[in-house]
Amino acid sequence: MDDLLAEFVAETREMLEASESEIIAWEANPEDRARLDAIFRFVHTVKGNCGFFDFPRLAALSHAAEDALAEVRADRRDADSALVTAVLAVIDRIAQMVNAIDADEEFPAGGDDELIAALDGAGIDTTEIENPIEAEQVSKRMDISTGAQRTIRLPVDLLDRVMSGVSDMVLARNDLAHRLGQAGTQPTIDGPFERLTAILSDVRDAITRMRMQRIETLYAALPRLVRDLSSELGKQVTLDLEGGDVELDREMIETVRDPLTHIIRNAIDHGLESPAERAVAGKRECGLLSISARQSGNTISIVVSDDGGGLKEAKIAAKAQKMGLISATDSERMSRESVLQLIFEPGFSTADTVSSVSGRGVGLDVVRQNLEKVGGSIKVSSTDGVGTLFTLQVPLTLSIIAGLTVGVSEQRFAIPQSYVEEIVHSSAKALDYAQMGETALVTFRGARTPCLMLSDVLGLPASNARHGDHIMVMLRLASGDLFALAVDTIHNHGDLVVKPLAPAIMKTGLYAGTTLMDDGQPVMLLDVTSIASQHGLVSDARTHVLDDDDKGTSESSAHVVQAMLFSDLNGRRSAIRLELLQRIETAPAAAIEKTGSSARVVIDGNILPLIGLPAGALPSERIRCLRLTDGACELLYAVREVDDAVELTQDLKLVSDDPEVEAVTLVEGKAVTLLDGHALFSLHGEAPQSSAKPTCVIPDTEWARTILAPLIQIAGYSVATEHTEAEEITITFDVLASGERPSAEDAAVIRLRDQPEDECGANTIYRYDREGLLSALRDATQRRSA
């Protein structure tokens, strides 16, 4: 019977967790019949199980809830807010009783009749019923396990030992793989080694799951918490959750639960304005609370943001002076970012009155202390009138991730593979590097992307390589932002066992952990998200959940024009909208052909129109040009000097006497002419002519897709993993037998080998012989065309 009772408790808790979010979603859409049926089945199941185990109080509550829901299903009753609140109150009481049953404790009497009366529509305030369950208690329910599973209790230290052992096995496997790679292909060993690798991967996953839990279990209680608080405070709040599939240590989830609840209470109580205040400010009456989680190496980032009134810098500084935390001189010298961090000082609060729900700032020192105890951190950023964003950094106890190893300044570093979008050599035609003032940009696939030099980021000596010789690792953040990281070399990729670093090193924001490579050398894992944030490359976490209409009506950005500032060949300071700029070209004078009042230039094999040239002879042997595009047509605009990307925030004065000028404005007190992109393309734009790329078929392996494919694309080929009807070149790892000669059909087949030496004499190319492979591609193309 004890086993059956344990199954009842586990099954009921599982349904409790699922039912709360279903009920809240059903309240928002009462016409959702599927959710109503799911809720009804839950209370019906609880009622039946309670009858079997002789729990009369549980049976009476679930029976009353079942009757009320049956009335709604029969269209004899409306699913109003009062009914939903009453059903939630019953769910809470059932959860309390189940916890008491599991602990073998007596549950206090009283309160059941009032709950049942509320279900019948008696208008009773369920929050005043004796022994109510609070939102924090709901969020602290024990972890659920499926009733059919068998469970045992194990010491955490034992699990840590097992996980550490598996991590060492992964490192030993990597070392063995490295040695086997040096020894060459050995069929008698390679097969068993592959089986060992597969088995180790399965064991690693199973061991990891013993300690890891999806963060969606933490999210489960938040819709109810937000609903109750917003209802109590008379506010309307939309909750947006992202990253529920991120896994975190079970103990760490419990550590984060209280700080997260506290921040959410602050956001709803003091961060978000009332519907009337939001309407006056030109915002939607329904406030937005966004919570997202993402993994960065050995760290989990949880971002909580609201679109409320934001923190008041002056008010925080004044209160800090009053408390003696800073002086008036300090206040004048401190940056806004430093002032905002004062809210984490003990006892600090800017609230005029202390609310029963929260006081913005009160308790945030405890939140920070709790996170720092486990090696975590918290920081805040805020924009007045726009909102506030809290970022919680929580370490993983241990993590095994896929990683890419790169080299810069003769040192090696690792990057989480999940961030890597593509690897491109900076000399490729598909990627253009340009230094514009203090900003470095690459134009990749028609989009302007910020670029960071890893040597500059880490403060290492610059390599001797020119910009054209760097390799660009295109990194995509969880926020959707893309940027390029310039490195010297790409070494390899594979599983990395990531372990924590000393807190002092983690605070630099550059590293997320450390790992050992195949040869036993330690390597630092880069904290991609933190590096991007330090260089202003991460967009606000709130922006991805805003509707397009909201973006368009933002008063703060309505009059801002992103533009590229330059001086034309006549010395006039001008600007062009940044969205029209594709990249910056340098054209030799010999490639420019002038016919009458028009000029054209050959760039990348395309003939493009060139405007902006002065009358008479060309001013120099090389002309810098802005390559502009509207998506279909292109043109070049000759310039003397490119200054920098700027934001034109001053009032634009429209110009009517020059058809190619949109407006004039002031930048740093000097007049600037904003060119009219529409007029330029209507008068001069032409569609460029392009030739079709030859196709190269590569092996369908991870190495070929991540390492080989970018190199081939750089060489001007399109890449495929299957043969098509088009004329193509094939790259394979098949090796001809000794003495065998390739047939005529093999003229366009390039064979690769794993070892630098060609021991078989089979006319193969070492797979890391870059020049040899590119030369073979050119020869194969010529043979194909001949």
Side-chain angles (χ1 to χ4, degrees):
M1 180 62 73
D2 290 342
D3 291 340
L4 291 177
L5 185 60
E7 289 185 11
F8 164 75
V9 171
E11 182 181 6
T12 304
R13 282 179 173 154
E14 182 178 6
M15 290 187 291
L16 280 169
E17 182 111 354
S19 64
E20 281 189 353
S21 58
E22 292 288 335
I23 293 173
I24 294 171
W26 171 56
E27 179 188 27
N29 183 16
E31 303 300 324
D32 192 339
R33 185 76 179 198
R35 293 189 187 276
L36 174 60
D37 291 342
I39 300 165
F40 181 84
R41 284 194 300 271
F42 160 68
V43 295
H44 177 76
T45 301
V46 172
K47 185 191 72 171
N49 291 344
C50 291
F52 177 79
F53 286 102
D54 191 23
F55 294 138
R57 293 181 64 184
L58 275 176
L61 286 169
S62 56
H63 184 78
E66 181 186 29
D67 288 346
L69 294 172
E71 290 289 306
V72 178
R73 297 180 75 199
D75 295 328
R76 292 191 293 268
R77 185 173 180 181
D78 294 332
D80 55 16
S81 179
L83 173 61
V84 172
T85 301
V87 173
L88 285 171
V90 170
I91 297 294
D92 291 343
R93 181 58 60 88
I94 291 175
Q96 286 182 307
M97 291 180 173
V98 169
N99 287 340
I101 292 170
D102 187 39
D104 197 18
E105 297 174 352
E106 190 71 24
F107 190 79
D112 294 359
D113 294 339
E114 290 85 349
L115 290 175
I116 294 174
L119 285 170
D120 293 335
I124 297 175
D125 185 358
T126 56
T127 61
E128 299 298 328
I129 298 176
E130 183 182 359
N131 196 28
I133 185 168
E134 296 291 339
E136 292 93 337
Q137 292 174 293
V138 177
S139 68
K140 293 181 180 179
R141 286 182 183 142
M142 298 174 63
D143 294 333
I144 325 163
S145 60
T146 305
Q149 292 180 338
R150 293 180 301 166
T151 60
I152 59 174
R153 296 181 181 272
L154 290 174
V156 174
D157 291 344
L158 179 59
L159 287 178
D160 289 339
R161 286 177 56 192
V162 175
M163 292 182 70
S164 178
V166 171
S167 300
D168 292 338
M169 291 172 66
V170 171
L171 293 175
R173 188 276 311 271
N174 292 344
D175 184 27
L176 181 57
H178 179 70
R179 296 175 185 273
L180 289 176
Q182 292 178 328
T185 303
Q186 302 183 35
T188 58
I189 298 178
D190 291 346
F193 177 73
E194 292 297 329
R195 289 197 298 273
L196 175 63
T197 297
I199 294 171
L200 181 57
S201 296
D202 291 340
V203 173
R204 182 196 69 189
D205 291 340
I207 296 297
T208 301
R209 292 181 182 276
M210 288 184 181
R211 283 293 301 268
M212 307 300 286
Q213 188 175 45
R214 289 163 68 98
I215 208 167
E216 64 184 9
T217 60
L218 180 63
Y219 284 173
L222 301 185
R224 172 69 186 280
L225 173 62
V226 171
R227 177 194 182 274
D228 290 349
L229 288 176
S230 58
S231 177
E232 178 181 350
L233 298 170
K235 298 181 179 180
Q236 301 175 18
V237 182
T238 297
L239 177 64
D240 179 79
L241 300 174
E242 182 183 359
D245 57 343
V246 174
E247 290 190 341
L248 187 61
D249 185 279
R250 292 173 183 265
E251 287 186 340
M252 208 63 70
I253 284 182
E254 293 306 315
T255 302
V256 171
R257 200 181 293 274
D258 280 348
L260 186 60
T261 301
H262 186 90
I263 292 173
I264 291 173
R265 285 175 160 264
N266 277 344
I268 298 176
D269 190 12
H270 295 287
L272 294 172
E273 310 96 330
S274 66
E277 292 171 334
R278 293 179 64 85
V280 171
K283 298 181 179 180
R284 294 184 304 177
E285 293 186 1
C286 185
L288 176 65
L289 181 63
S290 174
I291 304 174
S292 63
R294 59 182 180 268
Q295 182 176 353
S296 172
N298 203 39
T299 303
I300 297 294
S301 296
I302 302 177
V303 179
V304 184
S305 61
D306 62 67
D307 65 346
L311 296 174
K312 311 300 181 184
E313 178 184 358
K315 195 172 184 179
I316 294 174
K319 184 61 179 290
Q321 292 181 47
K322 185 177 180 180
M323 294 177 61
L325 298 176
I326 59 174
S327 65
T329 304
D330 294 333
S331 177
E332 295 176 357
R333 294 177 178 177
M334 292 175 68
S335 64
R336 173 176 171 80
E337 179 72 17
S338 301
V339 172
L340 295 182
Q341 307 311 313
L342 292 172
I343 66 174
F344 296 108
E345 294 298 323
F348 189 92
S349 174
T350 59
D352 297 326
T353 58
V354 178
S355 166
S356 60
V357 174
S358 65
R360 199 166 183 83
V362 174
L364 285 178
D365 59 318
V366 178
V367 170
R368 183 174 65 177
Q369 291 171 7
N370 290 340
L371 291 174
E372 289 179 346
K373 286 179 182 178
V374 295
S377 64
I378 183 173
K379 62 181 180 180
V380 62
S381 62
S382 181
T383 302
D384 191 13
V386 177
T388 304
L389 183 148
F390 285 90
T391 302
L392 288 71
Q393 298 279 355
V394 184
L396 290 169
T397 53
L398 185 66
S399 179
I400 303 177
I401 65 172
L404 177 72
T405 308
V406 301
V408 63
S409 302
E410 299 183 354
Q411 296 190 36
R412 290 186 295 178
F413 301 91
I415 300 173
Q417 187 77 39
S418 58
Y419 288 103
V420 179
E421 179 101 344
E422 195 166 344
I423 301 172
V424 186
H425 198 279
S426 60
S427 62
K429 294 182 179 180
L431 187 147
D432 180 74
Y433 178 91
Q435 187 76 32
M436 303 179 184
E438 297 181 356
T439 304
L441 296 175
V442 293
T443 303
F444 178 65
R445 302 197 186 283
R448 292 168 302 282
T449 304
C451 175
L452 299 177
M453 307 294 294
L454 183 56
S455 57
D456 294 341
V457 171
L458 303 179
L460 298 174
S463 63
N464 296 326
R466 296 175 293 108
H467 290 309
D469 295 331
H470 280 110
I471 297 175
M472 298 294 180
V473 182
M474 310 303 295
L475 301 175
R476 177 79 65 179
L477 303 176
S479 60
D481 299 290
L482 179 71
F483 74 98
L485 189 66
V487 301
D488 294 343
T489 56
I490 301 291
H491 289 290
N492 54 31
H493 64 91
D495 288 338
L496 303 177
V497 179
V498 182
K499 296 186 178 181
L501 288 165
I505 299 178
M506 298 287 282
K507 286 183 178 179
T508 64
L510 299 176
Y511 308 107
T514 183
T515 184
L516 292 178
M517 301 308 298
D518 299 345
D519 54 7
Q521 294 296 318
V523 167
M524 305 290 270
L525 181 73
L526 298 178
D527 190 338
V528 174
T529 301
S530 179
I531 290 173
S533 178
Q534 290 179 14
H535 291 80
L537 304 182
V538 182
S539 62
D540 195 319
R542 293 184 296 274
T543 59
H544 74 284
V545 293
L546 293 178
D547 296 331
D548 292 339
D549 291 340
D550 298 325
K551 294 179 181 178
T553 57
S554 175
E555 294 183 4
S556 61
S557 61
H559 303 291
V560 176
V561 175
Q562 302 285 341
M564 179 58 67
L565 189 65
F566 65 92
S567 298
D568 63 18
L569 294 182
N570 293 317
R572 181 176 64 172
R573 297 186 78 225
S574 303
I576 188 75
R577 291 180 181 268
L578 200 58
E579 58 265 23
L580 297 175
L581 179 61
Q582 185 175 6
R583 60 176 178 263
I584 300 174
E585 304 279 10
T586 301
I592 300 175
E593 180 184 354
K594 298 181 67 176
T595 56
S597 60
S598 63
R600 283 174 171 76
V601 63
V602 178
I603 296 289
D604 295 337
N606 296 319
I607 301 176
L608 300 176
L610 175 62
I611 62 176
L613 292 176
L618 297 176
S620 62
E621 294 183 357
R622 303 180 68 84
I623 304 296
R624 298 198 73 188
C625 307
L626 302 180
R627 188 166 181 170
L628 309 177
T629 179
D630 63 353
C633 298
E634 293 186 9
L635 62 88
L636 299 173
Y637 197 101
V639 301
R640 174 182 297 173
E641 182 180 0
V642 178
D643 294 334
D644 206 346
V646 296
E647 289 186 349
L648 304 181
T649 56
Q650 299 289 335
D651 291 336
L652 300 177
K653 299 185 181 300
L654 301 180
V655 174
S656 58
D657 57 351
D658 190 337
E660 296 186 0
V661 174
E662 176 183 348
V664 293
T665 186
L666 293 177
V667 176
E668 297 178 351
K670 297 180 180 180
V672 170
T673 300
L674 179 64
L675 300 181
D676 190 330
H678 184 276
L680 292 179
F681 279 98
S682 65
L683 295 172
H684 310 288
E686 295 180 5
Q689 298 180 355
S690 60
S691 58
K693 294 182 179 179
T695 301
C696 185
V697 180
I698 66 173
D700 189 10
T701 64
E702 186 175 2
W703 179 86
R705 289 190 298 269
T706 58
I707 302 298
L708 182 59
L711 175 62
I712 296 173
Q713 290 171 335
I714 288 170
Y717 294 80
S718 61
V719 175
T721 56
E722 296 180 356
H723 289 279
T724 64
E725 296 180 358
E727 292 291 324
E728 56 193 24
I729 297 170
T730 301
I731 295 180
T732 178
F733 284 103
D734 297 332
V735 179
L736 294 173
S738 178
E740 182 182 355
R741 294 185 178 182
S743 64
E745 297 178 354
D746 291 337
V749 176
I750 299 172
R751 290 180 167 83
L752 304 181
R753 63 177 182 270
D754 291 336
Q755 300 305 313
E757 296 78 17
D758 186 1
E759 299 177 355
C760 301
N763 194 24
T764 58
I765 298 172
Y766 179 44
R767 64 176 181 171
Y768 284 111
D769 183 357
R770 180 189 186 92
E771 295 304 323
L773 179 56
L774 294 178
S775 176
L777 282 170
R778 289 192 293 269
D779 293 343
T781 302
Q782 293 174 359
R783 289 195 298 269
R784 272 292 191 191
S785 60

